[in-house]
Each structure stands twice: as structure tokens, then as C-alpha cells.
Amino acid sequence: LAKTTQPISMDSYEGQEVNITCSHNNIATNDYITWYQQFPSQGPRFIIQGYKTKVTNEVASLFIPADRKSSTLSLPRVSLSDTAVYYCLVGAPHNQGGKLIFGQGTELSVKP
Amino acid sequence: SAVISQKPSRDICQRGTSLTIQCQVDSQVTMMFWYRQQPGQSLTLIATANQGSEATYESGFVIDKFPISRPNLTFSTLTVSNMSPEDSSIYLCSSLIRDRGNYEQFFGPGTRLTVL
């Protein structure tokens, strides 16, 4: 399972766009990139998943360059409720028994 | 998607006792997982629980300490045996589901365990 590196913490203000970058230099061909969000006292929640290029859903966008050695989670116009820990995970859940290995995550703090 | 519930939501236990945590999924799932999350830390995978076979434990976790049952496709239990204060943590279960083309893990709300 590919190791990931992401910033430990980030600060932002309401209404700003937040970009969190994750490095995964040893990503394998079959690996997907998945981001989860965790609020205090809750289990992690799936945000977005991608394999290459760009993926967008109703809450975020995921940008993956051609070499796939990094990825960027983009949160448009954050609000106070986006304050949470964001985890970047790399793996092939359909091939490796669904295991998720969590790194340290990025603690995002959104201020008024 | 899936809705996952856990019982109990929290408990305070004495050293040397055992606690069984229940995890219920609202649909049939093949793969279920148990994680531990210590305060201020990330999640650590304890084991994978698949129905019809013994659980697969990650390095550092053993069956004698964390026995797991998976009697059917919607239910699993994790027992924390012979507890010590170091076992104080949040324990979460999850299941892997393919939803709208994505492979997602859905997590329960967690069980907050305090060992005195």
C-alpha cells in the first residue's frame, strides 16, 4: 500500500478555496486515490475518489497529474463546518481486500 | 450507501475485564473492518472480518486480545480482552461498498472506551 504525505495542518477563512495536496510517490498502477473527511467524535466519511485527471462531485474536486505521484483535494468556498481532518489514501480496494491504511491526515481549521 | 451502527457508544471499564462491541450494517456486505483511533491520532486498522472465515489481523494485533466474530453478512463483534488503560481508545467498524462507481468505506460512529 502506497505511503502518503500531506500537511499536518492548514488554516483558512470562510469563503476561500482550500487546496490540500497529498504526495504518493510509489503509487501502483491499480491504485485509486481516495479522500475521507472526519469530524470530531464521528467516523470518517468518503469525499471523493479518482484514478487520473480530474474528478468533481457536489462537495469537492480532485486533481491528479499525469504521473499520479500526487493529488490535490480542492474544497470550494469553505465554511466553518468544513473544519475537520482530511485523509488522503492510496490503494486498490477491489484488489487488496478493501483495506484502508490511514496516514496522519490534514487538520483543516476554517476561521470566520 | 450503508448505515452502520455500533453498540455501546461509550463505556468505562475496569482493568482486566473485557468488552464486546457490536457493529450492525443495514445491508449485506462482504468485507467489514475494525479500526482503533487513539485521541488526537489517525485510525489504525486492527483486522478484517469476512463472513465464513477467520479474521485477518494486522501487525501488532492478535486474536487473543481482540477476538472478532462475523456470524453473518450484516453483523460483527470485536472484543477487547483483559483490558488495560492503554486500550482506552475509540473503536470503529466499517464496511466496503461499491457506491456510484466508487469503492467507499462506510464507518460506524465509533465506541469510546475508557479503561480505568
Side-chain angles (χ1 to χ4, degrees):
Chain A
L1 295 170
K3 179 180 169 62
T4 60
T5 303
Q6 52 184 122
I8 293 175
S9 64
M10 292 182 69
D11 292 331
S12 183
Y13 291 93
E14 282 190 292
Q16 289 186 334
E17 177 184 80
V18 171
N19 296 308
I20 307 175
T21 297
C22 178
S23 297
H24 29 79
N25 291 319
N26 58 340
I27 188 169
T29 303
N30 293 331
D31 286 345
Y32 285 75
I33 300 156
T34 310
W35 287 79
Y36 284 79
Q37 174 191 55
Q38 186 178 27
F39 297 113
S41 301
Q42 295 185 27
R45 185 176 69 117
F46 174 95
I47 302 175
I48 197 166
Q49 185 176 80
Y51 183 80
K52 61 181 180 181
T53 60
K54 176 184 175 182
V55 181
T56 297
N57 62 22
E58 60 275 11
V59 298
S61 294
L62 178 60
F63 298 92
I64 306 169
D67 66 4
R68 304 201 325 125
K69 294 184 183 298
S70 67
S71 60
T72 299
L73 174 72
S74 181
L75 305 172
R77 297 180 300 282
V78 294
S79 64
L80 296 176
S81 62
D82 292 315
T83 294
V85 178
Y86 292 83
Y87 294 99
C88 163
L89 293 97
V90 173
H94 48 297
N95 287 344
Q96 62 202 30
K99 287 169 52 169
L100 289 181
I101 304 299
F102 283 79
Q104 283 305 108
T106 297
E107 187 169 4
L108 173 65
S109 177
V110 180
K111 302 174 182 178
Chain B
S1 65
V3 176
I4 300 179
S5 59
Q6 288 184 230
K7 289 182 182 179
S9 58
R10 59 178 63 225
D11 207 343
I12 300 173
C13 301
Q14 295 297 320
R15 180 196 298 261
T17 62
S18 297
L19 176 71
T20 295
I21 302 168
Q22 299 178 7
C23 178
Q24 180 75 53
V25 188
D26 69 343
S27 57
Q28 293 186 339
V29 294
T30 303
M31 298 174 180
M32 292 182 72
F33 306 89
W34 287 97
Y35 292 83
R36 180 172 74 181
Q37 186 171 30
Q38 295 179 316
Q41 302 295 315
S42 182
L43 286 80
T44 300
L45 179 63
I46 297 172
T48 302
N50 292 331
Q51 197 268 339
S53 62
E54 284 199 5
T56 303
Y57 290 83
E58 297 299 307
S59 175
F61 298 96
V62 295
I63 188 171
D64 290 346
K65 175 67 176 177
F66 298 101
I68 287 171
S69 78
R70 184 77 200 274
N72 57 51
L73 291 174
T74 64
F75 188 78
S76 178
T77 68
L78 169 77
T79 298
V80 186
S81 303
N82 188 24
M83 288 184 285
S84 67
E86 292 72 33
D87 294 320
S88 296
S89 189
I90 297 173
Y91 292 84
L92 301 108
C93 69
S94 71
S95 65
L96 179 70
I97 292 175
R98 186 158 193 191
D99 187 45
R100 294 173 292 176
N102 297 312
Y103 291 92
E104 298 183 31
Q105 280 211 13
F106 290 85
F107 286 82
T111 296
R112 183 180 294 271
L113 171 62
T114 301
V115 184
L116 303 178

